[in-house]
Amino acid sequence: MNTRTGQRIGALLGTALAVLAAAPVTAAVASTDAPAAVSADRLVLEPTARGYQGSLSVTVTNRSSAAEYYTVRITEPVAGSFRGVQPAGVCMSGGLAGDLRVFECEVPGPDLAPGERRSFAAAFEVLTSPRPYAMTAAAGRVEVVPGHTGQVADGEKFNTWFRATDGSLRHPQPYRQDTEAKAAITATAGAVTLTRQADGTYAGRLPVTVRYAGDAPHDFLFVRATLPAGVEIAGTDPQDSPSFGGYFDVPGGRMAAGEERGFDVLFRAPAETVAGDLGTVGFTLTTWYGDGEVADTDPTDNTLQVAVGAVDNG
């Protein structure tokens, strides 16, 4: 790692820690004497086959007399909506301001020369069902932090609009995001059977379906499993993150409102397992956002119990 890269990562860490220590985010003092300025356009989120997507143009100006590197502090306008910057840049979490996430992002590219203006895009995605009418969300905020000071030099709010499915932005209504999850898990079979493999161990799979009915913000969904003695979770199919102990993530990442996702849970048991009834496996589906679990409107459909048995066909 070169010295400049180390300085930049250090600045990101320092500003992220400052956000955690000083939430909620406070307004910066804008001044013509400030060493930097930041501005942002209106964010327009377009309806897609998977919620809404859009990008915000952000411009940073170096008002100082020396070359400088900058980070931009972005407070998302909708909880869970920020997806990164383009051109690709380093972003680090700076904690929460209420339910909204705050990110510290390095301004892409080399140091800004004195007087230089540089623009980049911040991407957002809201996984809610597109509406036939326009909507607005509480304003997000951008702030610029010169790397050598670690202090906010300038900042402003930006407005967020959701375009209607007919293309209109007229007569918008407030967007109201769910605060509680509406997740559910079901199985297509009432039991899972483990069969002996060539190496003597037992293996089996259980098809399950997870549904996410609302649009409460979340980073991922995961399942806790209570297992009979000797039975283990071997993973999921498909699998995009490792499973460990009695936990596994729902593959595929965040879920859109109304989305259903089917996958198989893989089981294994050691060779010394005695064929027959092994007991019951219990699943509990949990929604996770930020640093904690999200309450569910109906916890009864977040749990599932399935019988497990082993068969020796040899």
Side-chain angles (χ1 to χ4, degrees):
M1 179 186 297
N2 60 40
T3 301
R4 177 62 72 194
T5 300
Q7 289 174 333
R8 290 183 173 181
I9 293 176
L12 283 169
L13 286 169
T15 49
L17 289 171
V19 171
L20 288 170
V25 176
T26 56
V29 178
S31 167
T32 56
D33 297 327
V38 65
S39 61
D41 294 336
R42 178 179 64 174
L43 171 62
V44 178
L45 297 168
E46 305 286 348
T48 72
R50 181 178 166 83
Y52 292 82
Q53 297 179 2
S55 61
L56 175 76
S57 178
V58 179
T59 301
V60 172
T61 303
N62 182 355
R63 286 180 170 174
S64 72
S65 59
E68 179 66 282
Y69 61 95
Y70 297 94
T71 58
V72 172
R73 181 177 300 166
I74 300 174
T75 303
E76 59 187 5
V78 176
S81 62
F82 179 72
R83 306 311 297 161
V85 297
Q86 294 292 333
V90 177
C91 288
M92 298 183 66
S93 174
L96 295 173
D99 288 334
L100 304 176
R101 298 178 302 173
V102 182
F103 288 88
E104 303 287 340
C105 298
E106 183 182 76
V107 174
D111 293 356
L112 274 71
E116 182 182 354
R117 292 166 54 91
R118 185 177 301 161
S119 298
F120 63 94
F124 296 87
E125 179 183 54
V126 181
L127 297 178
T128 191
S129 301
R131 315 290 207 274
Y133 51 85
M135 297 184 291
T136 58
R141 185 171 179 82
V142 294
E143 296 174 323
V144 62
V145 179
H148 79 283
T149 68
Q151 302 295 318
V152 173
D154 188 26
E156 70 173 30
K157 292 182 178 181
F158 60 87
N159 294 319
T160 301
W161 295 65
F162 295 70
R163 192 182 298 278
T165 51
D166 66 0
S168 175
L169 288 173
R170 295 178 299 174
H171 310 301
Q173 301 180 25
Y175 169 60
R176 294 182 174 86
Q177 188 176 29
D178 290 342
T179 58
E180 293 188 337
K182 300 176 183 177
I185 184 170
T186 56
T188 56
V192 56
T193 300
L194 311 185
T195 57
R196 189 177 287 277
Q197 307 298 297
D199 64 357
T201 63
Y202 289 82
R205 61 177 60 213
L206 175 70
V208 299
T209 299
V210 169
R211 175 174 172 78
Y212 202 74
D215 63 3
H218 63 286
D219 298 317
F220 58 91
L221 282 75
F222 71 96
V223 177
R224 295 186 182 96
T226 303
L227 300 163
V231 178
E232 299 178 345
I233 298 292
T236 61
D237 183 17
Q239 180 164 337
D240 53 16
S241 62
S243 58
F244 55 95
Y247 294 81
F248 59 88
D249 288 354
V250 174
R254 300 190 310 148
M255 299 185 68
E259 182 179 355
E260 287 190 355
R261 189 173 296 168
F263 59 97
D264 287 357
V265 182
L266 308 181
F267 297 86
R268 65 188 172 202
E272 59 269 23
T273 299
V274 177
D277 180 15
L278 301 182
T280 301
V281 59
F283 289 152
T284 301
L285 176 66
T286 300
T287 303
W288 191 270
Y289 176 65
D291 58 359
E293 298 181 7
V294 180
D296 198 282
T297 56
D298 182 11
T300 62
D301 59 11
N302 290 42
T303 60
L304 176 67
Q305 291 199 348
V306 177
V308 182
V311 175
D312 186 349
N313 293 322

